[in-house]
Amino acid sequence: EDQVTQSPEALRLQEGESSSLNCSYTVSGLRGLFWYRQDPGKGPEFLFTLYSAGEEKEKERLKATLTKKESFLHITAPKPEDSATYLCAVNTNAGKSTFGDGTTLTVKP
Amino acid sequence: EAQVTQNPRYLITVTGKKLTVTCSQNMNHEYMSWYRQDPGLGLRQIYYSMNVEVTDKGDVPEGYKVSRKEKRNFPLILESPSPNQTSLYFCASSLYAGGGQPQHFGDGTRLSIL
């Protein structure tokens, strides 16, 4: 059974305090690992796709990395507007998608 | 504007009264999917569709039905809703299934079943 586990469940940072979110996964036939951002009352919004171990993607203060068993979302010098829930998901050959429970990030000014 | 549109956005109803949540996308996407999101449980996939007339069960399909008669529409049907189906529902679509295609999500439908 495909599984995605995210940690921590919640993370509180001061503005400018860098940190990382973790996503560990077990899946057969990985066809992509995704990071999404979800704001309260909204649907998830796509951030990154990673396909293979060693791959990295960057966007503004966010950088996603992938190994064979986990992915990290690094947040450098976060701002209050980075506060959101960050979701990790995997797609498989069969078309199924499995999401983690998310990490809720709060950045205090 | 490229989007996934769900209706209604909010619904309060009673046990046993059949309801349909509509989902439509204007991006000519092949793949569509329904999720429910409950506190502490993340997004769980209910059903997905790889193309017209092709649907498959996700992780939590019990109590739900879907159909995909047209590419753009993927309605979610609750034939006899029960209180444990009270949840926040999201419809999503992507260009095609499999591979590294990200999903585009609607803004959600909050269902309360009394």
Side-chain angles (χ1 to χ4, degrees):
Chain A
E1 184 182 329
D2 302 334
Q3 279 196 322
V4 176
T5 304
Q6 291 188 245
S7 61
E9 285 185 23
L11 182 62
R12 298 172 68 91
L13 300 173
Q14 286 296 129
E15 184 171 3
E17 180 187 2
S18 301
S19 189
S20 295
L21 283 55
N22 177 262
C23 170
S24 62
Y25 64 93
T26 55
V27 63
S28 54
L30 179 70
R31 295 301 299 273
L33 183 140
F34 302 83
W35 283 97
Y36 292 87
R37 169 189 171 128
Q38 185 175 24
D39 292 300
K42 296 282 193 180
E45 181 183 330
F46 170 70
L47 292 172
F48 302 109
T49 307
L50 301 165
Y51 296 96
S52 56
E55 190 174 0
E56 298 182 352
K57 295 265 180 82
E58 276 189 79
K59 181 179 179 180
E60 295 181 359
R61 295 177 293 282
L62 300 177
K63 179 179 176 180
T65 62
L66 182 65
T67 71
K68 286 188 178 177
K69 292 185 177 180
E70 56 191 350
S71 176
F72 293 93
L73 185 65
H74 307 278
I75 302 176
T76 302
K79 298 182 177 182
E81 53 261 42
D82 294 321
S83 297
T85 297
Y86 291 85
L87 300 169
C88 173
V90 295
N91 279 9
T92 67
N93 287 328
K96 287 189 69 176
S97 287
T98 301
F99 280 76
D101 292 346
T103 294
T104 299
L105 174 67
T106 304
V107 182
K108 295 290 190 183
Chain B
E1 181 190 349
Q3 58 187 2
V4 176
T5 303
Q6 299 179 225
N7 280 296
R9 293 289 316 279
Y10 305 91
L11 179 63
I12 300 174
T13 187
V14 295
T15 300
K17 186 177 181 183
K18 181 180 178 180
L19 67 92
T20 299
V21 184
T22 64
C23 174
S24 179
Q25 50 92 4
N26 62 359
M27 296 168 279
N28 202 34
H29 284 173
E30 289 187 355
Y31 181 89
M32 296 186 75
S33 183
W34 276 103
Y35 299 88
R36 61 178 288 172
Q37 188 172 35
D38 302 289
L41 291 178
L43 280 162
R44 292 181 291 167
Q45 194 172 38
I46 303 171
Y47 271 94
Y48 61 96
S49 170
M50 312 242 308
N51 214 326
V52 176
E53 302 291 1
V54 180
T55 62
D56 279 295
K57 295 178 181 178
D59 293 322
V60 288
E62 294 77 21
Y64 304 95
K65 283 178 61 177
V66 293
S67 68
R68 186 93 182 271
K69 295 186 171 60
E70 306 167 279
K71 199 171 188 178
R72 63 182 294 130
N73 295 323
F74 191 43
L76 179 69
I77 302 156
L78 284 70
E79 295 255 346
S80 183
S82 62
N84 64 10
Q85 293 177 298
T86 292
S87 187
L88 179 58
Y89 291 84
F90 288 101
C91 179
S93 72
S94 66
L95 189 57
Y96 52 83
Q101 292 300 312
Q103 294 181 68
H104 301 257
F105 286 82
D107 282 336
T109 295
R110 188 167 292 280
L111 284 183
S112 293
I113 299 162
L114 307 176

